[in-house]
Amino acid sequence: MNHLHRSNAADHTPHGPPVVLRNDLPASLVLFLISIPLSLGIAHATGAPLMAGIISAVVGGVVVGAISGAPLQISGPGTGLVVIVAGLVAQFGWAATAAITLAAGVVQLALGLTGISRLVLSLSPAVVHGMLAGIGVSIAVGQLVVVLGGAAAPTVPANLALLPDALAAGELGSIAAGAVAIAILLLWHRVPRVSVVPAPLVAVAAATALAYFLRVDVARVDLPDSHALVFPQMPQAATGTVLTAVVTVALVASMESLLSAVATDRLHDGPRARLDRELVAQGTGNVLAGALGGFPISGGLARSSTNVAAGAKTRYAAVFQGAWTAVAVLAFAPALELIPLSALAGVLLVIGLRLVSVSRMRTLWQHGELLVYAATAGGVVLFGLLEGVAVGVGIALVRALYRLTHCSVRVEGDLVCVRGTLVFLGVGRLVRELRRLPLGRTVVLELHIDYLDHASYEAINDWREGYERLGGRVRVDEVHDTWYDRASRGKPGRCKTLPGPLPRWFAPWSHWQGTPGAVTLPAQRSSAEQAGPASDPMLLGMHEFERRSAPLVRPFLQELATHGQRPRQLFITCADSRLVPNLITTSGPGDLFCVRNIGNLVPMSSADDRSVGAAVEYAVEILNVSTIVVCGHSDCGAMKALVQGSAGRGSHLRSWLRNADPSLIRFHAPMSAGCEHLPVTDRLAVANVAQQLDNLLGYPCVREAVTAGALTLKGLYFDISDARVYLVDPDRNGLEPVSSPA
């Protein structure tokens, strides 16, 4: 996610009047229609004054929106703070809660100014989303009590205890208004054409109209006058208790805002979020909101995603939304006081349930993190926010320790396969399995490990030495890394592993299968015994592919088999066995359309040979490749034959190498100084690549595509001994190093 956290990125989105009027103004109206019911509902759910939610919506829009580090994020009363604020109101009262909000804003300012915003995101995503899920369940259970006509308690167990009585004494008017709001929120997106109207607005409006026309007696919104606002007062409690409350509000509001900012970045192509600046903006907003008696502010993904979907391009959408909210409360307060509280509770109930994401659970299940998620959510629901997060963090740490010390050991005949992290805590099981192996055999110890500590190395090496003293043989085969080999270098002669950190999949057969007569893999034992010690290495290699590589590349190959090949490059190179195109280009299935022949030659379009020409035409006209690469190499046998004239007269090789005669002519032209250090045959190989690029232009399809700018020709030269690739400059038959893309 680093590309989402560019702290120095500039906001390059155009801010001119046309953009603001065409995109941001309409988006702000949509946001305003959502903001009113959401702000009132969040405030009511916590027992805070309803005006506190409106104040935070205005401050979050006008102030935070104007200085935000995430221009398209919308801030307001924090949904994830509902449970926390409800507890603070019950414990301290609203005036003290406002003071805690102000102090939390100061903490957020300090976090933003010290540049440690990313540390807030270091918490496990499973813990964060589990916390949000627990908050969502807590909100939903509490608001269900309100929909039934009761008054919500601060904890989930208490609300569950209230449900039977609330059901028995359910107020029909309150239930009807809440049910209408819930039904509209759940079904509104299925209504064609009109679904662009915000669902919360429609839900609250419909429930209000129902309660008004049926003249039902329900509790309604009661907005205080502006002179009745509650201003902050110092909490009357122990200093430690107050500090805990301040830090809790600051951290939860910060996490919710930063997670929302990162998620919002994924929804648009505009400027990326500057997280430190966003924390400063959130802190400023909470200082001001707390000073005015407002609800704690945070960025919200629901409002932010609506902002992006409505077409907003700049921060002015958030600013306008806050202004419209202020105007509406000042001018239309009587209309807002017609809203039933159960309608707002219905809106909050649905929003709370949506914090419990099934798709997120599925993703965490796939990554083995669902236990942490469930434990955090359950802890928040049963014990409280801090306790739930502590439970989640504790389980996450235990799982991390388990993974750090866990390895799997699988024994198949004489093959012992070890996967994971191998440290002293887990080496005992491996040694027990090794000691069970029959004596006098040739054992392959296959290590798929990401770490090996010294104690584990000593244990394995001691077993190996003892096993070999009793007549057995041990071959250590490291697949992904060379931890064992590096550990053994301090004790020369004690370990016979691969020389150096050679990746197994790129090693020749002789490196990973051993010398002739060495042990073969168990699955090939019967066929190897029939064939004798000199078993076909290609067959063993194919077995290794099916056992190791096939599971990794199968998804790519299945997609290519379904949709066909779509390579962007035609790669023409020599048939020399030392030149592996996919190795030197770090490419895989479907990337390269390859042609290999002696000397990487492209015969003239008028030549008798048609095979290369057919491949060129197929690549350009059918596959629509964007690049054709001709790659030569050092120590080329074809170039040696040209220089020495060693190809027999009348032979097929001599007939084929006649296509390289123009390369010989080009070779005798003045050479660049950059190639004078190369041997004669290698200088000829460079000139040969340049000549083949000219030959390609003799094909009409290539010439037309190059002229149209749809095709690029490139020459490469691979130095085998140095394992380096160079670009060939055809104008001077010279070499240039391959530079990293800008």
Side-chain angles (χ1 to χ4, degrees), residues 1-6 118 121-123 125 129 258-259 261-263 265-266 272-273 275 360:
M1 295 194 297
N2 289 343
H3 67 287
L4 300 175
H5 301 162
R6 298 173 190 162
R118 296 189 187 186
L121 291 177
S122 63
L123 197 62
H129 291 287
L258 297 178
L259 289 170
V262 171
D265 271 355
R266 299 193 182 113
R272 304 293 91 182
L275 297 186
R360 176 61 59 181

Side-chain angles (χ1 to χ4, degrees), residues 163-543:
L163 278 178
D165 292 338
L167 284 169
E171 299 179 7
L172 293 180
S174 178
I175 293 173
V180 167
I182 293 171
I184 291 176
L185 278 173
L186 294 176
L187 302 175
W188 188 245
H189 69 281
R190 299 185 178 181
V191 181
R193 297 185 181 179
V194 298
S195 59
V196 293
V197 181
L201 175 67
V202 179
V204 171
T208 302
L210 176 68
Y212 179 79
F213 288 112
L214 295 181
R215 305 293 180 182
V216 293
D217 185 18
V218 295
R220 300 179 188 272
V221 168
D222 181 18
L223 290 177
D225 296 330
S226 59
H227 65 271
L229 296 181
V230 179
F231 294 102
Q233 296 179 2
M234 183 65 66
Q236 301 300 312
T239 302
T241 303
V242 176
L243 289 177
T244 300
V246 170
V247 172
T248 300
V249 172
L251 291 181
V252 174
S254 299
M255 284 191 294
E256 186 175 13
S257 299
L258 297 178
L259 289 170
S260 173
V262 171
T264 303
D265 271 355
R266 299 193 182 113
L267 303 177
H268 65 87
D269 297 325
R272 304 293 91 182
R274 290 181 279 182
L275 297 186
D276 292 332
R277 176 173 171 177
E278 178 64 16
L279 266 189
V280 170
Q282 295 291 335
T284 303
N286 275 321
V287 168
L288 185 56
L292 296 176
F295 196 92
I297 290 172
S298 70
L301 182 57
R303 291 175 295 232
S304 302
S305 61
T306 301
N307 187 38
V308 175
K313 299 298 182 185
T314 75
R315 64 181 71 251
Y316 288 104
V319 175
F320 288 156
Q321 173 262 153
W324 302 144
T325 303
V327 171
V329 172
L330 294 175
F332 304 106
L336 297 177
E337 291 181 335
L338 296 175
I339 299 174
L341 293 179
S342 61
L344 299 178
V347 172
L348 264 293
L349 188 152
V350 174
I351 289 175
L353 291 178
R354 285 175 176 168
L355 289 176
V356 185
S357 171
V358 176
S359 62
R360 176 61 59 181
M361 291 186 202
R362 190 179 299 113
T363 300
L364 292 173
W365 170 265
Q366 294 170 350
H367 290 85
E369 298 286 345
L370 187 60
L371 177 62
V372 177
Y373 174 91
T376 306
V380 170
V381 169
L382 296 177
F383 309 115
L385 184 81
L386 291 180
E387 293 85 350
V389 170
V391 169
V393 170
I395 293 180
L397 290 175
V398 170
R399 284 184 57 81
L401 181 62
Y402 172 79
R403 290 175 177 174
L404 181 64
T405 60
H406 180 73
C407 67
S408 65
V409 181
R410 189 181 77 252
V411 180
E412 297 178 356
D414 296 336
L415 172 66
V416 181
C417 183
V418 183
R419 298 178 183 272
T421 301
L422 195 54
V423 296
F424 68 96
L425 293 174
V427 75
R429 179 189 171 201
L430 172 61
V431 173
R432 286 195 300 271
E433 294 291 342
L434 292 174
R435 288 175 177 172
R436 292 174 184 169
L437 294 172
L439 297 176
R441 309 286 287 270
T442 301
V443 176
V444 176
L445 179 59
E446 188 175 278
L447 301 180
H448 301 253
I449 57 175
D450 49 33
Y451 180 72
L452 176 77
D453 68 358
H454 186 70
S456 301
Y457 165 76
E458 289 286 356
I460 294 173
N461 209 55
D462 289 345
W463 166 82
R464 172 184 169 274
E465 290 179 343
Y467 191 85
E468 292 186 340
R469 279 197 302 268
L470 296 175
R473 294 182 59 194
V474 177
R475 182 160 64 88
V476 179
D477 181 6
E478 297 189 85
V479 177
H480 300 304
D481 211 330
T482 55
W483 292 100
Y484 189 88
D485 178 64
R486 281 177 282 175
S488 69
R489 293 182 185 242
K491 301 178 180 180
R494 294 189 64 186
C495 178
K496 299 175 183 178
T497 57
L498 301 181
L502 184 64
R504 174 186 173 95
W505 289 330
F506 293 148
W509 289 323
S510 59
H511 278 272
W512 60 266
Q513 291 186 347
T515 57
V519 66
T520 57
L521 298 172
Q524 292 289 327
R525 179 171 302 281
S526 59
S527 61
E529 289 171 353
Q530 297 174 4
S535 299
D536 187 346
M538 182 179 291
L539 293 178
L540 293 179
M542 288 187 287
H543 169 75

Side-chain angles (χ1 to χ4, degrees), residues 549-567:
S549 306
L552 299 177
V553 301
R554 186 170 290 116
F556 303 103
L557 294 177
Q558 287 175 341
E559 182 179 355
L560 290 171
T562 301
H563 301 290
Q565 63 170 326
R566 297 181 299 275

